[in-house]
Amino acid sequence: MKPLLALFLLCSLAVGGYYFFQANRLNQVPLSTMLSSDTQSMVTKSLSFMEDIRYKDFDASAQYSLPEQRGKYDLAALVEGLFKVKPEFLDVQSYEVLSTDLDSQGERARVHMKANVKLLNTDELREPELILYFKKQSGEWYMDYATSLGGRK
């Protein structure tokens, strides 16, 4: 009777975990990244940033940048430099987080991502990898556009 109960509990846990990950955006990231609230925050921001890029909402994507960098960069131009194609010809089809890591002080971090993009008006598909760099300010994580997207002053 006890082995049957243990099997039932294990199956219930597996089904519950499956439904949790299906309803949560963190189902797209490696399991190790979910252990820290800092990495969860950066992963969520990275996925939201890529969603904004996918839908060409460059104004919304500016919210993830360092406060001192807001309004200083033309995000469409930075995206063009990153993907080597004008944003209007870029169809971001999917993206995923490959890994995350924090520095020893917990003040800087990187999110390694991979995107699947199609160049419109061609049959060309690309799978570029990118690293988004984050800095922690006042307890909040912000993307460093200058480092992540090649923006220079």
Side-chain angles (χ1 to χ4, degrees), residues 58 71-79:
F58 300 120
K72 288 188 177 182
Y73 298 109
D74 176 6
L75 190 55
L78 295 178
V79 168

Side-chain angles (χ1 to χ4, degrees), residues 1-32:
M1 183 69 170
K2 286 185 181 182
L4 188 60
L5 180 61
L7 181 64
F8 175 74
L9 289 174
L10 185 61
C11 288
S12 297
L13 182 63
V15 169
Y18 173 79
Y19 283 113
F20 171 77
F21 288 118
Q22 291 300 316
N24 191 324
R25 289 190 70 174
L26 295 176
N27 69 336
Q28 303 173 7
V29 301
L31 185 60
S32 62

Side-chain angles (χ1 to χ4, degrees), residues 111-122:
V111 177
H112 183 198
M113 300 188 78
K114 180 179 178 181
N116 292 309
V117 299
K118 180 181 185 309
L119 303 184
L120 297 177
N121 299 323
T122 73

Side-chain angles (χ1 to χ4, degrees), residues 34-94:
M34 295 186 296
L35 300 177
S36 161
S37 62
D38 284 335
T39 55
Q40 286 179 16
S41 174
M42 286 180 297
V43 164
T44 300
K45 288 180 182 195
S46 297
L47 292 172
S48 295
F49 173 78
M50 289 301 294
E51 182 177 39
D52 290 342
I53 298 302
R54 180 181 193 175
Y55 290 100
K56 313 290 191 274
D57 192 351
F58 300 120
D59 292 336
S61 64
Q63 69 181 313
Y64 309 109
S65 68
L66 288 162
E68 62 268 17
Q69 292 179 343
R70 291 186 186 150
K72 288 188 177 182
Y73 298 109
D74 176 6
L75 190 55
L78 295 178
V79 168
E80 181 177 347
L82 184 67
F83 290 102
K84 309 294 188 241
V85 63
K86 291 186 178 289
E88 56 268 23
F89 297 115
L90 181 69
D91 178 16
V92 178
Q93 296 183 335
S94 65

